[in-house]
Amino acid sequence: MKKTLRSLVYFLLIAFSLQSCDDKDDVATPKDLQINNFIWRGLNKVYLWQADVPNLADNRFTGQEDLNSFLEGYSTPEDLFQDLLNKPKSKYPNGGAIDRFSWIVDDYTVLEQELNGITKNSGIDFGLGRQAEGSNDLVGYIRYIIPNSDASKKDIKRGDLFTSVNGIPLTESNYRSLLLNSESDSYTLNLANYNGSTFELNGKSVVLTKTVLEENPILINKIITSGSHKIGYLMYNGFYAEYDNELNQAFGKLKTEGVTDLVLDLRYNPGGSVRSAIRLASMITGQFPDDIFAKTQYNAKQMNGLSSSQLESLNNRFVSSFDGKAINSLKLNTLYVITTGSTASASELVINGLKPYINVIQVGETTVGKNVGSYTVYDSKTLSKTRVNPIHKYAMQPLVFKISNSANFGDYTGGLPPTFAQDERVSSYGVLGDASEPLLNLAISKITGSTSKRIQTDKGLVLPYFTDSKSMRRFGKEMYFESIPKEFLKL
């Protein structure tokens, strides 16, 4: 849920009259404080928990001069941003922060590309875990390879492990510089094996090169026939609005083939556009045109004094068309969804939003628990990308709204639990899209009533979950360990 609907953003920018920064404020703010002033001003207006952060209170400062004195106390914009988020002041103990997901960037061009699936990377989607409980030594594991990337041309695959980069062992303190912020676009992964107790380098290395890559979120779209069932399988890895037409075409294929069931694989999908989520839900169903799919709520400052028509605009409804084209709807009454501890945001919105209307069977692991959303905030008088401040390119992606379904349920910060639980283990990954892949196999067994493949559940190394490549690309150098959900990687 990185961006809400375009029309809703427009409504917010116009209807809520964000007027705190006028020409006098610009004059009164020294050039070296303009970024910090933008951060405070933007969060004061739209941050979801503005009322809960004392330093964001409307009466906290007597005037711009008083605010400037406060802003001077921060050496970097990132420090100020983090200090203004709704988090405990004891350095975020035990992941207890309310806000786990807001972030800031120093170049909004890069941010805009990332929100549309365009990043500079080598094409490996990977996770990182600690090699042992409490250890600072890390092990990486490949989840999938992005098609048409440099990695897709190399000898590396899903399930491969690596413990070093450029011959340097991966640790908690260096993984960002080695994998994300390296000065070179080329790097070498040193692959490893797990011998039952430790990880050992196996002598194999793969040289990868980062390029500007646009990832199609539709990784797999196929039909699996099992008995009388024609099961559509769609692996969807990001809610990128630019690919909504391709998503509609994928559903058109499923519809033409006459699928009887659908398995939607969101196991690695961290979210994205709310608009894309609404369209996806409408493609899955189609029998609920114009019914409320989800309800949005902003902070008290934004909600005060809204008219009935303005409040109505905060309801997100199922759609039957977009961009002048009819939606290819399957009109299903039951949906099977594969989830893991990396399933978040708009992915969870689809699950929660559909539950009041159809039977949603969730297979796999509990999701992240992101029932809140954001949109990009720029340094301009309207906080939109209209006449932005030319002296810098900072932008924020703060949490600005909560979202619930039509039954007013949105309390799932602990994640959405699976109907049928099964952990994903690297040691038994299987091939994505293959009917024997463990999580897909379990979903198929629930559709057909057959016996699912037995998965080892009580043996093997259990490592504390660390992070994955998508969250690394999102948070970059400002990523905080405390903001990563306490999930577990099982080998």
Side-chain angles (χ1 to χ4, degrees):
M1 276 180 274
K2 305 182 197 78
K3 293 182 179 178
T4 189
L5 300 174
R6 187 172 300 170
S7 59
L8 184 55
V9 174
Y10 179 80
F11 161 71
L12 287 168
L13 296 175
I14 301 301
F16 296 152
S17 65
L18 306 174
Q19 74 271 6
S20 69
C21 179
D22 56 25
D23 292 338
K24 292 183 179 179
D25 286 337
D26 289 339
V27 173
T29 304
K31 186 175 182 179
D32 61 350
L33 288 181
Q34 286 192 26
I35 299 174
N36 283 5
N37 187 69
F38 150 63
I39 292 170
W40 186 90
R41 180 174 60 89
L43 294 179
N44 167 263
K45 284 296 180 184
V46 302
Y47 187 47
L48 180 60
W49 291 291
Q50 181 265 340
D52 299 314
V53 180
N55 282 332
L56 288 176
D58 293 341
N59 60 358
R60 170 64 177 83
F61 304 102
T62 58
Q64 188 64 44
E65 185 175 353
D66 190 20
L67 174 59
N68 289 347
S69 296
F70 170 77
L71 300 178
E72 288 172 349
Y74 293 89
S75 58
T76 68
E78 291 78 10
D79 287 343
L80 172 64
F81 179 79
Q82 290 295 330
D83 199 51
L84 290 177
L85 298 184
N86 191 27
K87 295 182 176 183
K89 298 307 177 184
S90 56
K91 280 298 175 184
Y92 331 134
N94 303 318
I98 293 176
D99 186 347
R100 296 178 288 161
F101 305 107
S102 294
W103 79 95
I104 187 171
V105 296
D106 58 11
D107 187 342
Y108 55 73
T109 302
V110 175
L111 171 63
E112 291 164 350
Q113 291 176 333
E114 289 178 349
L115 296 181
N116 284 304
I118 304 172
T119 58
K120 193 171 187 179
N121 69 85
S122 62
I124 57 171
D125 184 279
F126 62 91
L128 294 175
R130 302 183 193 277
Q131 291 191 24
E133 190 79 38
S135 172
N136 289 328
D137 296 323
L138 307 182
V139 55
Y141 54 99
I142 306 300
R143 302 196 299 189
Y144 67 91
I145 303 296
I146 300 174
N148 303 314
S149 66
D150 181 64
S152 69
K153 305 176 183 68
K154 303 294 177 63
D155 186 16
I156 189 169
K157 64 184 183 307
R158 171 174 164 82
D160 282 347
L161 307 174
F162 59 94
T163 55
S164 297
V165 178
N166 299 329
I168 303 172
L170 273 173
T171 66
E172 182 179 314
S173 61
N174 69 15
Y175 78 95
R176 285 170 293 192
S177 61
L178 291 175
L179 291 170
L180 186 67
N181 299 325
S182 173
E183 294 181 0
S184 174
D185 286 337
S186 293
Y187 62 100
T188 300
L189 291 185
N190 308 116
L191 304 188
N193 295 329
Y194 179 61
N195 64 14
S197 59
T198 59
F199 295 91
E200 297 177 340
L201 291 173
N202 59 21
K204 180 180 177 181
S205 296
V206 180
V207 178
L208 298 173
T209 300
K210 298 178 183 179
T211 60
V212 176
L213 185 64
E214 185 169 355
E215 180 181 356
N216 186 335
I218 308 166
L219 185 66
I220 303 171
N221 184 42
K222 64 183 295 185
I223 294 174
I224 301 170
T225 301
S226 181
S228 61
H229 295 270
K230 295 188 70 172
I231 303 169
Y233 172 76
L234 178 70
M235 187 167 194
Y236 186 57
N237 291 331
F239 288 79
Y240 307 143
E242 298 300 319
Y243 281 89
D244 285 353
N245 281 315
E246 286 85 347
L247 184 62
N248 196 34
Q249 291 169 12
F251 270 81
K253 176 183 176 181
L254 297 176
K255 184 176 182 179
T256 300
E257 294 291 333
V259 296
T260 57
D261 310 272
L262 177 65
V263 177
L264 177 64
D265 195 338
L266 300 176
R267 74 181 77 189
Y268 303 140
N269 193 320
S273 166
V274 172
R275 179 178 62 185
S276 298
I278 296 169
R279 291 172 176 176
L280 174 58
S282 301
M283 294 172 198
I284 294 167
T285 56
Q287 61 269 49
F288 311 107
D290 298 323
D291 284 0
I292 294 176
F293 170 69
K295 301 177 180 180
T296 307
Q297 182 177 359
Y298 293 79
N299 68 28
K301 181 184 292 189
Q302 306 259 33
M303 299 291 289
N304 283 342
L306 294 185
S307 66
S308 58
S309 62
Q310 289 172 330
L311 290 172
E312 164 56 30
S313 71
L314 301 183
N315 291 326
N316 302 295
R317 297 178 180 273
F318 288 96
V319 295
S320 56
S321 65
F322 67 90
D323 294 343
K325 299 177 182 178
I327 278 184
N328 293 311
S329 299
L330 299 183
K331 293 184 170 56
L332 295 174
N333 293 310
T334 299
L335 171 69
Y336 294 81
V337 187
I338 295 175
T339 63
T340 67
S342 294
T343 305
S345 197
S347 292
E348 295 169 298
L349 171 60
V350 168
I351 296 170
N352 191 55
L354 285 175
K355 281 185 175 180
Y357 295 95
I358 66 173
N359 188 24
V360 180
I361 308 298
Q362 191 177 329
V363 172
E365 303 171 2
T366 300
T367 63
V368 169
K370 186 172 185 284
N371 61 341
V372 285
S374 62
Y375 56 75
T376 305
V377 177
Y378 299 87
D379 187 3
S380 69
K381 289 187 177 182
T382 61
L383 302 183
S384 68
K385 200 182 177 182
T386 301
R387 300 179 65 182
V388 296
N389 189 337
I391 73 167
H392 70 87
K393 299 192 74 174
Y394 269 86
M396 298 184 290
Q397 199 73 27
L399 295 179
V400 298
F401 65 90
K402 293 181 181 179
I403 200 156
S404 60
N405 63 21
S406 61
N408 298 315
F409 177 75
D411 185 15
Y412 51 89
T413 55
L416 296 169
T419 313
F420 299 101
Q422 181 165 288
D423 294 327
E424 182 176 59
R425 294 175 178 267
V426 178
S427 57
S428 58
Y429 255 172
V431 177
L432 291 171
D434 191 287
S436 65
E437 185 275 314
L439 294 185
L440 176 55
N441 184 263
L442 177 58
I444 292 173
S445 74
K446 299 306 175 184
I447 292 172
T448 63
S450 60
T451 301
S452 64
K453 181 180 179 181
R454 291 182 61 84
I455 302 299
Q456 180 183 23
T457 58
D458 57 354
K459 296 180 181 180
L461 181 64
V462 179
L463 302 176
Y465 181 81
F466 197 80
T467 185
D468 61 55
S469 54
K470 287 183 178 178
S471 63
M472 285 181 67
R473 292 199 294 267
R474 178 175 301 168
F475 288 92
K477 62 185 177 181
E478 286 80 48
M479 186 171 70
Y480 285 76
F481 302 134
E482 305 81 34
S483 68
I484 302 300
K486 288 184 172 293
E487 308 298 339
F488 291 90
L489 158 69
K490 298 177 175 63
L491 289 175

